[in-house]
Amino acid sequence: MNACTPTPSFSPWRLSVAPMLDWTDRHCRYFHRLLSRHALLYTEMVNAGAVLHGGTERHLRRNEEEDPVALQLGGCEPTALALAARQGEAWGYQEINLNCGCPSERVQRGAFGASLMKEPQLVADCVKAMRDAVQVPVTVKHRIGIGRDESYDFVRDFVGQVADAGCEVFIVHARNAWLEGISPKQNREIPPLRYEVVHRLKADFPALTFALNGGLASDDAVTAQLAGLDGVMIGREAYHNPWWLARWDALYFGAAPQALEREAIEEAMVDYMAREQTRYGTPWPSVARHMLGLRHGLRGARLWRQVWSDHHLKEWPAHAVMVRARAAQNAVQDRADQPA
């Protein structure tokens, strides 16, 4: 990890934002880094084949400001994963993570994601190939089981076999993956959370690093898990309520509190939108969509979001949209402050 890495007494995986398909692109990660200097960020899952067959820059382009940031790869072919991992390292990613948790039908058809848990030797082969190809850590993100079978032996044996191939860090979504009958969204909600399984893995493999993912949405929940595990990964709550990240450095990494203001973060994102437009022709709505939760819970936030989401304004300069969005929010606040 680079200079943004937290104090050495903390695991680099102490607190991270989950890889989320169609969400944690480089624009989202730039936004999250404005809020937390130390949280580990992950790319959305990138198919190793897409990296190797003409999509390298499109899939691996990153901002240096994002660091520390990890690349999550999807795939099941050791040679292809090794080559893609090498590309990721060359592009500056400080960790390569193998997805063994995604339950979508499209991913299943490619024989990777959660379905890989059925083939721990193949996962071990993939991990070994990637470790041989790069110097950065190679980690695995996985579920605690497949289907309705809640046998602990299944996930224990999976971790043991993959660890024998050299993997030292496991990020565990503490639900089974039900590969039939429910959607990917339902797979993040319906299979029951079983945090105790992750704690049991840590007890059985004390030398390995375990970070827990799934359903965590409060400081109390995070603190409770950090008492027995090496790290916690936050997904949807970090995306929909990003201002939570502004407290993480002080709460979880021992850093001095930052005097952050939502207005300054918004202005930094507008400056970033302008740079992206100039350099790559990126339309500002592609960036702005990730910061719509910035004013979550504040009076007037709904109107502020509506302005930033208004497709009729997509040809406006982002700065002008910001002025209009703030005016909409302020009007609501002014009305609320008027005496009855």
Side-chain angles (χ1 to χ4, degrees):
M1 303 290 177
N2 74 352
C4 290
T5 304
T7 306
S9 59
F10 295 118
S11 163
W13 294 274
R14 182 170 174 81
L15 207 61
S16 61
V17 178
M20 291 177 278
L21 199 59
D22 298 325
W23 287 5
T24 50
D25 63 15
R26 62 190 175 89
H27 310 311
C28 176
R29 300 191 303 267
Y30 185 92
F31 172 51
H32 285 167
R33 183 57 70 218
L34 292 173
L35 299 168
S36 170
R37 292 168 294 173
H38 297 315
L40 178 58
L41 305 180
Y42 282 78
T43 69
E44 56 189 330
M45 183 181 68
V46 178
N47 188 308
V51 171
L52 300 177
H53 301 295
T56 304
E57 181 174 0
R58 179 164 63 90
H59 289 295
L60 298 186
R61 183 187 299 159
R62 52 182 279 280
N63 304 292
E64 290 186 3
E65 294 90 343
E66 298 170 32
D67 295 349
V69 60
L71 170 66
Q72 186 184 70
L73 291 174
C76 62
E77 208 287 311
T79 300
L81 283 165
L83 292 172
R86 188 175 294 153
Q87 291 272 23
E89 183 180 44
W91 277 77
Y93 290 94
Q94 293 110 36
E95 172 191 335
I96 308 298
N97 177 264
L98 178 62
N99 184 312
C100 294
C102 181
S104 78
E105 291 185 9
R106 178 170 59 87
V107 168
Q108 288 182 55
R109 286 195 297 271
F112 57 97
S115 61
L116 273 177
M117 290 192 71
K118 299 176 183 178
E119 300 185 65
Q121 185 56 56
L122 176 57
V123 176
D125 292 342
C126 292
V127 165
K128 184 179 186 307
M130 289 190 288
R131 280 177 50 85
D132 289 345
V134 300
Q135 299 300 310
V136 297
V138 173
T139 67
V140 171
K141 186 173 188 291
H142 62 94
R143 296 287 185 122
I144 57 174
I146 299 295
R148 271 66 170 180
D149 182 359
E150 296 187 351
S151 164
Y152 172 71
D153 293 354
F154 175 83
V155 67
R156 179 202 62 203
D157 293 348
F158 173 84
V159 168
Q161 196 160 350
V162 176
D164 286 344
C167 184
E168 298 177 349
V169 179
F170 294 83
I171 301 155
V172 190
H173 187 159
R175 304 179 195 266
N176 277 31
W178 295 358
L179 301 183
E180 297 177 355
I182 62 175
S183 69
K185 180 179 184 297
Q186 291 171 319
N187 247 300
R188 295 189 296 269
E189 300 167 349
I190 294 177
L193 285 162
R194 294 186 292 139
Y195 295 156
E196 69 277 7
V197 173
V198 188
H199 288 266
R200 190 173 174 184
L201 287 169
K202 180 62 182 177
D204 285 348
F205 301 96
L208 300 178
T209 294
F210 288 95
L212 183 146
N213 171 232
L216 301 171
S218 70
D219 289 321
D220 287 346
V222 170
T223 301
Q225 297 307 318
L226 288 177
L229 297 170
D230 304 291
V232 161
M233 175 179 275
I234 309 295
R236 287 166 289 169
E237 188 66 18
Y239 190 86
H240 294 303
N241 183 20
W243 195 244
W244 186 20
L245 276 70
R247 303 199 306 273
W248 286 5
D249 290 353
L251 286 174
Y252 303 116
F253 293 96
Q258 294 189 82
L260 297 178
E261 295 181 353
R262 286 178 170 87
E263 290 74 14
I265 299 297
E266 184 181 12
E267 289 164 11
M269 286 302 291
V270 168
D271 290 343
Y272 173 73
M273 292 175 204
R275 293 197 301 274
E276 280 292 305
Q277 175 70 44
T278 300
R279 292 175 184 173
Y280 306 111
T282 307
W284 65 256
S286 297
V287 179
R289 69 187 182 96
H290 298 300
M291 70 170 191
L292 296 181
L294 180 60
R295 297 178 185 273
H296 175 78
L298 299 183
R299 184 180 288 120
R302 182 175 62 86
L303 287 179
W304 178 85
R305 289 194 304 271
Q306 286 178 350
V307 173
W308 274 114
S309 303
D310 188 346
H311 71 277
H312 294 103
L313 306 180
K314 63 183 180 181
E315 302 302 328
W316 286 29
H319 184 271
V321 178
M322 179 180 69
V323 171
R324 181 163 178 161
R326 288 185 177 180
Q329 182 186 25
N330 291 338
V332 173
Q333 292 176 331
D334 291 344
R335 286 197 299 271
D337 292 341
Q338 304 236 343

